[in-house]
């Protein structure tokens, strides 16, 4: 089922990790659309995964001299989408102008491949940690969830569940109260919470429980960030979460974990811990009703500590994200 959301179709949507696209084309489903990604010398390109000749999936083909070759009759498409070779056509006949692939916007950034289904190239959100050599960045995901993206994103912005769902990992039951905080918007349109003081059982892997400061940021409709600051030593850890709508019912979550300090953990261990935390959230998020995040603030009952979630709901309303389906 195609997700007909004009706002999201104009966004950069994460498609896969950069490392997932090597010398063979791959298929990803984004908002119900089958997309083929392939790499050549110029970079990565995204087409609708459909050959105009007989509807074959181009992702079953191969890349030859920088062109995407259809698996069925060998038509060759260059990166612009134009078909430049039809092997069955006698040499004196021109390739029909209609022989083209439908192309999408595509970019490689922050360790991921991003697709714009409207074939636009909007400005990217900033992720300074990724460009800063003082930070170590670990790519996380994919994680598929049976829930719509706004529920997945809101769970990430939800500070109240940490000491409940992640008790012993990200919070403790003796410290469940959350102080009030405000939400602000900066000149770039980024929505950011004040620092929220949280008691964590082991914020930096040394086994020492202490207070740390959490900040949540809303960067784009499906991209948010969390930063943890340890006031004692200046340690910063941030997690960027970005979610791809796979179809009407499923989401795929990806992330970047950034550290400005030594952790003694390998990338695999960091990923494993993040998977464990995500596995604790998953049954909650997959069973929330309604599946669509209620944007009417009178629906559901919020507390003051839900300000980040409320700001997110207001932001989606303002952006006009409806997650409509056809
Ligand atoms: Fe692609 Fe025939 S279906 S070349
Ligand atoms: Co959680």
């Amino acid at each position: 089922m195609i997700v007909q959301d004009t706002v999201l179709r104009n966004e950069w949507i994460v498609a896969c990790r950069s490392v997932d696209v090597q010398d063979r084309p791959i298929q990803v489903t984004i908002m119900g659309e089958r997309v083929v990604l392939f790499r050549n010398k110029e970079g990565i390109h995204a087409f609708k995964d459909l050959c105009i000749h007989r509807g074959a999936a181009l992702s079953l083909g191969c890349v030859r001299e920088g062109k995407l070759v259809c698996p069925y009759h060998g038509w060759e498409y260059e990166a612009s989408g134009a078909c430049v070779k039809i092997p069955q056509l006698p040499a004196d006949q021109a390739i029909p102008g209609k022989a083209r692939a439908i192309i999408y916007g595509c970019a490689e950034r922050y360790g991921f491949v991003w697709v714009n289904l409207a074939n636009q190239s909007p400005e990217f959100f900033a992720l300074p940690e990724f460009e800063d050599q003082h930070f170590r960045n670990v790519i996380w995901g994919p994680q598929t969830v049976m829930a719509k993206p706004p529920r997945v994103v809101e769970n990430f912005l939800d500070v109240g569940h940490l000491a409940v769902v992640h008790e012993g990992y990200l919070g403790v039951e003796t410290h469940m109260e959350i102080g009030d905080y405000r939400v602000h918007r900066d000149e770039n349109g980024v929505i950011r919470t004040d620092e929220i003081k949280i008691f964590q059982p082991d914020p930096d892997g040394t086994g020492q429980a202490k207070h740390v400061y959490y900040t949540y940021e809303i960067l784009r409709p499906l991209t948010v960030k969390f930063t943890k600051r340890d006031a004692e030593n200046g340690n910063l850890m941030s997690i960027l979460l970005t979610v791809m709508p796979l179809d009407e019912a499923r989401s795929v979550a990806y992330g970047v974990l950034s550290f400005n300090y030594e952790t003694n953990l390998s990338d695999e261990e960091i990923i494993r811990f993040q998977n464990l935390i995500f596995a604790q959230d998953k049954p909650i998020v997959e069973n929330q009703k309604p599946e669509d995040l209620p944007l009417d603030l009178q629906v559901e009952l919020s507390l003051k500590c839900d300000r980040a979630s409320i700001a997110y709901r207001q932001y989606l309303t303002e952006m006009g994200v409806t997650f409509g389906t056809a």
Side-chain angles (χ1 to χ4, degrees):
M1 193 87 82
I2 306 288
V3 181
Q4 299 285 14
D5 187 308
T6 323
V7 178
L8 294 180
R9 295 180 81 84
N10 279 286
E11 286 285 315
W12 283 121
I13 303 286
V14 66
C16 62
R17 301 170 303 178
S18 273
V19 294
D20 296 330
V21 191
Q22 301 290 345
D23 48 0
R24 290 161 43 136
I26 66 159
Q27 184 188 70
V28 287
T29 303
I30 304 173
M31 294 173 68
E33 302 269 16
R34 299 202 311 182
V35 175
V36 54
L37 301 172
F38 71 99
R39 190 187 284 280
N40 65 12
K41 274 201 211 94
E42 286 81 57
I44 299 191
H45 312 278
F47 295 170
K48 191 179 180 78
D49 194 9
L50 184 78
C51 179
I52 191 166
H53 179 221
R54 286 294 176 269
L58 294 168
S59 56
L60 296 174
C62 63
V63 183
R64 192 185 299 144
E65 286 162 8
K67 296 182 235 7
L68 182 59
V69 185
C70 180
Y72 201 1
H73 309 94
W75 292 21
E76 293 186 15
Y77 296 89
E78 63 177 21
S80 70
C83 177
V84 291
K85 183 171 174 186
I86 296 183
Q88 296 78 16
L89 210 57
D92 59 349
Q93 288 180 32
I95 291 170
K98 268 184 73 179
R100 294 189 67 85
I102 294 168
I103 66 169
Y104 300 127
C106 189
E108 227 175 336
R109 192 98 178 222
Y110 308 140
F112 295 106
V113 178
W114 306 80
V115 167
N116 180 287
L117 292 174
N119 192 21
Q120 306 286 314
S121 191
E123 210 178 305
F124 263 95
F125 60 87
L127 184 59
E129 292 83 350
F130 203 84
E131 268 117 28
D132 184 337
Q133 53 177 345
H134 299 101
F135 281 85
R136 167 185 178 196
N137 294 286
V138 180
I139 300 290
W140 170 79
Q143 283 282 338
T144 303
V145 196
M146 269 305 284
K148 295 193 181 190
R151 284 285 190 193
V152 180
V153 171
E154 197 186 77
N155 166 260
F156 185 85
L157 297 172
D158 184 291
V159 70
H161 82 290
L162 298 174
V164 183
V165 174
H166 310 297
E167 209 275 325
Y169 295 91
L170 304 179
V172 287
E173 59 182 10
T174 49
H175 291 71
M176 291 231 218
E177 280 178 28
I178 294 159
D180 200 10
Y181 63 91
R182 299 276 150 180
V183 179
H184 313 272
R185 183 186 295 235
D186 75 11
E187 62 283 1
N188 299 317
V190 173
I191 297 166
R192 186 176 291 114
T193 67
D194 289 335
E195 285 196 320
I196 309 167
K197 195 175 177 182
I198 297 284
F199 188 78
Q200 267 214 309
D202 184 13
D204 54 11
T206 58
Q208 190 203 346
K210 59 168 124 172
H211 280 103
V212 285
Y213 295 88
Y214 281 14
T215 306
Y216 291 93
E217 289 168 286
I218 301 168
L219 305 177
R220 298 303 309 167
L222 301 181
T223 306
V224 291
K225 191 172 140 188
F226 147 82
T227 303
K228 177 173 71 183
R229 184 175 71 87
D230 185 332
E232 281 175 21
N233 51 25
N235 284 356
L236 290 171
M237 194 276 270
S238 67
I239 305 177
L240 180 93
L241 173 83
T242 188
V243 181
M244 176 185 92
L246 196 161
D247 54 25
E248 203 190 332
R250 287 177 296 172
S251 303
V252 183
Y254 287 95
V256 181
L257 291 88
S258 310
F259 306 81
N260 77 341
Y261 57 95
E262 284 292 326
T263 64
N264 296 327
L265 296 172
S266 65
D267 286 7
E268 292 68 35
E269 287 168 315
I270 289 168
I271 291 165
R272 211 177 305 134
F273 181 77
Q274 197 57 28
N275 286 344
L276 175 95
I277 297 298
F278 199 76
Q280 293 175 328
D281 287 315
K282 212 171 154 179
I284 303 285
V285 174
E286 291 187 333
N287 288 286
Q288 277 177 290
K289 297 286 175 193
E291 289 88 345
D292 283 300
L293 189 67
L295 298 186
D296 177 347
L297 301 181
Q298 302 310 312
V299 178
E300 298 190 339
L301 178 65
S302 297
L303 299 178
K304 276 187 176 174
C305 66
D306 295 320
R307 280 192 208 278
S309 305
I310 292 166
Y312 180 58
R313 293 177 184 206
Q314 286 171 331
Y315 174 74
L316 291 185
T317 300
E318 196 185 304
M319 293 289 285
V321 175
T322 59
F323 215 79
T325 52

